[in-house]
Amino acid sequence: MRPASFGYHKATDLAHALALLAEFGDDGRPLAGGQSLVPMMNLRLARPAHLVDINALPLTAIERRGDVLHVGALVRHHRYLSDPLIAAHFPAFLEAVHWIGHPTIRNHGSIGGSISHADPTAELPAICLLYDATIIASSTGGDRRIAARDFFLGAYVTALQPGEMVTAVEFPIPPAKSTGAFIELGERRGDFAIASVGVALQWSGRQITGAAVVCCGARLVPIRASEVENLLIGRQLDAPDAAAIGRRFANTIEPVSDHSGSSAYRKHLIGELTRRTIERACQQALETA
Amino acid sequence: MKADSPKHIGARIQRFEDVRLLSGAARYIDDIRLPGMLHCTFARAHTAHGTILEIDTSGLADLDYPTWVFTGKDTAGLSMKAHQDYPEMQYSEQPLLAEGKVRFVGEAVAAVLAEDAYKSEDAAEQLFIDCDPLPVVGTMAQARDASLPPLFDGWHSNVIVQRQMKGGDLEAAKAAAAHIIKRTYRNQRQAGVPMEGRGVVAHYNNADRVLTVWSSTQMPHLVRTYISEELDLPESRIRVVAPDVGGGFGVKGQVFGDEVLIAWLAMKTGRPVKWIEDRREHLIASIHARDHEHTLEAYVSADGRLLGLKADISVDNGAYSTYPFTSAGEPGMVGKVLPGPYDFQAYEATFRALATNKCSIGTYRGVARPSAVFSQERLMDDIAAELGLDPFEFRLKNIIREFPYKNVLGFTYDPGSYAESLELMQTLLADDVAAAKASHASDTTRVGVGIACFIEQTAHGTPDFTRRRTPIETGYIAARVEMAPDGTVTIDLGLQNHGQGLETTMAQVAADALGVLPSSVYVRHGDTLTTPYSVGTWGSRGGALGGGAVHVASLKIAEKLKAIAAHLMQTTPDEIELADGQAYMRSAEDRFIPISKLARAALRNVDQLPPGMLPGLEAEQRQDGPRDGTYANAVHAAVVEIDVPTGKMQLKRFVVVEDCGTILNPLVVDGQVRGGVVQGIGSAMFEHFVYDEECQPLTTSFADYLMPLAPEIPNIEVHHFETPTPLTPLGAKGLGEGGAIGPAAAIGNAVANALGVEVRETPLNANAIWHLSAHLRPAE
């Protein structure tokens, strides 16, 4: 359980990092918190020939830039827990962070690392999808803006090209009052999820005007429940009919089966978690109405 | 003055060894670094079953550093031989490195050595093992399928061994029964997983022809004996050292082929050789545990008395027989212990070990008893439900109350507190039972209460091993106690301490016998150079037999100290009492001599000794276990809350009532119980080693092999009865394994109670609970 031989390069600034990544191409990987990459290297499931350490780069801002919340690629997960902008506009994001691993992982892991790694059950890819985030991928050739729905291509596979790295993620700030919830089920606290569901609702008074539902555990990438999102719009906070919507969503998916959960179990679970997240998001709206 | 001196046995003394362990000063196997040391990495089989066509080592030639490679051709004939002398048992050996065939994924095929561990791991990757796959024997059903070829040449089937044990008239019991209840129960395959994995370092000193082997083992003397026999070396010139060992749990309570191989490599290369197991290797290739299937048929009278029990026991043994407890050990143990704490006199058990292309089964805390008790106690609840009886009431009706009790197989149980423990638990759980009952109206949140009542045969003596006919013939533990001229004491202990608190409890025992403070007693262990020959630390024998040996040896020294004191104070030895570091005269308490002065007399100022007394203050004692061991008893209880729609279960409460006889140190006892319970919770809910149909392992890291973690564990309440056994010197019974034995049964019963279903297997993870609660969900 020792990594294969690799070269280590400490990038001094963004231009240096991008130049190194351009030079190494497929053989290079940026190293941020290392919470997923390093274990994968120890198991020799990942064997980059060169690591470009980007920890010294100033990609650490969480700030409002016009209509978007800009999150630098090196923002560590624990920071969301005390960030007022996250709490005010992205409540499902805030809840999701509580489910990310353990304190050590939350202290070291970064958003750029998490979404580039693209574990099928990871929380932040699901949150990017839920809030229609835009991922900024930078290279010596300039920046590409990639919509979250186009970014996650498969388990551990993203739209990033050789020489590119994530430098920031932008979350559009919801125009209306926003509530949301994220619930995950794993065997133990901090485990990889068997399934998780996130919901974000926007409100006009007591009526839902915008809705997004995301789930992990159905397929090898997080998916949006576009079929049922439309059903939520126009509903009142005291009658979201969440159970029926959850069942309806569950009926559209055919989850994987493995030793941690049968397909039937995951399917039911996603329906149940959908119901619970919708009800919780409605409860938040009621409490703040 | 002396009468009210605190006794050290039974005192809540914090563990002396914790200073070392908690401050980072402990020295584990990986901390051993020797000049010129080579590091070994094993190239392991990727195929579960296959014929080795070629091991291509040509890739090593491209490396720019020196490497050494050895395969089964180099070690031909060297093997692990773990045979039990049963005529029905099919014989096999496990080569130190695979010869001809591989029989499970992870089997060591080649040893690659280099001057650092990164290099040896890179070099091992260069090997290409070309295997021609053979049909895989992957399940118990396949192992019993005569059409599949046996794993070993010359075998007639993959049933390694099948035997019977019986007592009483089962046909009569069946004929008299008003109820016949038959059920099949299963327990999943597990790994053992101490925090520190295994590892071996070996060095052969050519000058004095001494082989030194450091190994993270629970049984250094048995490692020494096996290496001596297999490598044909004089045992007197082999030293085996177990340094600080970061948990063993039985996993390290066997001799492994790599311990012999690393020693052989050190002699072959003339350099020290080190191998440190990584977690993946530990999970796939050390030993596995559990993986049982039991079919039980109980015969019960109309008034709820157990009349007889018939059992059919299968264990999926994996590929090889492990040393010294063998393939027959695990299923045989189930047959032996199933009669449990209940009074019935007709029994028949058929047990078998089945060979499959998986990692071999070995001993892991509880050894077969967690599975046996799961089946026994699930059956008790299933019978109670069928008869409409309360689980406590049904057990109390059948529990053994008079001692000594001779069970249906002829084993004699020494006194315990079986009924009292059940009754206390019944009181402790009254509110939970009511809350559970109230919750059964709900289809969304259910509460359940489950108990497990069991006994554990501990500290088995030589006759028990003689009956088993394993390669281990005896069960005694030795201690040598010596007092230095300054009155401080050294114990050289045949036990090896890997978390049991022995450096503290053994000091307490010696302190009471010698009248000194426990802090003046230094307990040494784990080094065959200094400690007397013993079988090691396993089988819940440390406190009972090690404590007994220390006590008896210390008393011998105390007698001599009293004789010296009596001589110096011109009185008789029976007038002398040793306490608080002094030898007092009973009739005149103001007259005393410091024990250090007596020690000095015994070793330096020997002219002060009584006429004819020889100098020296040392004694050795070998304490064997009783014929049938001594029986500890316990009742475990779990209170669970189940979120029915998601299958998520929370343990709300876990309660233990236990009786291990004399308690040497309550802190240590509670710690042992709680640690065992946590492992039992792992068995019940989380840990599952999974193979696919081709016997490829799927749970090879801690991401997939789920250990119980702190957030899932409730406060574990421990209550005690203390029924000293007349069979050991201090009245202590074995304690180390008991905590791990009850939880699967208690939690299984709690789930059954919560959901109103029969629970037939573990692990009870979220997926399993969800499937068990189908009847509570509206049809979809």
Side-chain angles (χ1 to χ4, degrees), chain B residues 401-451:
Chain B
R401 291 167 187 272
E402 283 173 24
F403 302 95
Y405 176 86
K406 192 166 189 183
N407 90 352
V408 62
L409 291 173
F411 291 92
T412 302
Y413 298 170
D414 50 334
S417 53
Y418 305 0
E420 296 86 340
S421 298
L422 269 171
E423 282 157 1
L424 173 59
M425 187 62 90
Q426 194 169 18
T427 312
L428 293 168
L429 290 182
D431 291 349
D432 298 289
V433 169
K437 205 165 183 178
S439 82
H440 295 169
S442 165
D443 280 350
T444 52
T445 304
R446 286 287 183 96
V447 176
V449 178
I451 56 166

Side-chain angles (χ1 to χ4, degrees), chain B residues 136-310:
Chain B
V136 161
V137 181
T139 63
M140 291 198 221
Q142 285 169 347
R144 297 177 76 171
D145 178 349
S147 73
L148 282 166
L151 260 56
F152 295 90
D153 296 339
W155 277 22
H156 53 73
S157 75
N158 283 312
V159 180
I160 303 167
V161 61
Q162 175 168 322
R163 285 172 68 85
Q164 258 192 359
M165 43 180 75
K166 56 173 101 180
D169 187 345
L170 198 66
E171 283 310 309
K174 188 173 182 177
H179 306 274
I180 298 179
I181 289 115
K182 185 175 180 180
R183 298 285 186 275
T184 297
Y185 304 103
R186 295 183 186 84
N187 286 113
Q188 80 278 18
R189 177 168 280 253
Q190 275 186 247
V193 201
M195 198 176 287
E196 182 205 28
R198 300 181 45 254
V200 188
V201 179
H203 169 54
Y204 185 70
N205 183 331
N206 239 330
D208 53 15
R209 288 174 291 125
V210 168
L211 171 70
T212 305
V213 178
W214 293 262
S215 180
S216 190
T217 180
Q218 299 171 219
M219 39 173 56
H221 286 98
L222 294 196
V223 172
R224 189 182 79 179
T225 296
Y226 197 93
I227 290 174
S228 158
E229 289 173 354
E230 197 59 22
L231 299 184
D232 198 19
L233 297 170
E235 194 165 347
S236 52
R237 288 180 185 270
I238 303 174
R239 175 185 180 192
V240 175
V241 185
D244 277 317
V245 171
F249 308 120
V251 177
K252 298 173 183 173
Q254 26 244 317
V255 182
F256 286 86
D258 44 56
E259 292 173 308
V260 184
L261 181 65
I262 298 298
W264 183 85
L265 287 169
M267 296 180 74
K268 195 81 182 168
T269 59
R271 310 256 303 250
V273 176
K274 179 182 202 173
W275 167 71
I276 300 296
E277 181 184 65
D278 69 29
R279 190 56 70 182
R280 182 171 185 276
E281 289 180 294
H282 181 79
L283 286 170
I284 68 173
S286 55
I287 57 104
H288 284 172
R290 324 290 190 236
D291 209 346
H292 289 219
E293 180 178 302
H294 308 152
T295 296
L296 305 184
E297 188 171 288
Y299 309 122
V300 186
S301 73
D303 64 344
R305 293 275 313 173
L306 269 176
L307 304 174
L309 181 68
K310 186 177 178 181

Side-chain angles (χ1 to χ4, degrees), chain A residues 1-5 44 47 185-189 191-192 194 259-262 264-265 268-269 272-273 276, chain B residues 117-118 121-122 125 278 280 643 645-646 648 686 699 703 706-707 709 712 765-767 770-771 777 780:
Chain A
M1 233 178 243
R2 288 177 177 80
S5 180
R44 302 197 172 199
R47 34 203 324 157
L185 195 124
E187 290 295 345
R188 305 167 305 180
R189 183 85 208 173
D191 265 342
F192 292 97
I194 298 171
H259 64 266
S260 61
S262 69
Y265 172 50
H268 177 92
L269 190 57
E272 177 66 19
L273 297 183
R276 291 183 184 190
Chain B
Y118 281 86
E121 195 159 331
D122 285 347
E125 249 190 350
D278 69 29
R280 182 171 185 276
D643 179 34
T646 62
K648 185 77 181 168
F686 301 110
T699 48
L706 307 183
M707 300 297 292
L709 300 180
E712 283 68 46
N765 56 23
N767 181 58
W770 183 80
H771 283 280
R777 284 190 293 275
E780 287 182 20

Side-chain angles (χ1 to χ4, degrees), chain A residues 129 213-216 218-226 249 252-253:
Chain A
L129 203 61
V213 178
V214 70
C215 99
C216 294
R219 281 199 228 125
L220 294 177
V221 287
I223 57 169
R224 280 282 289 268
S226 42
F249 178 37
T252 65
I253 54 175

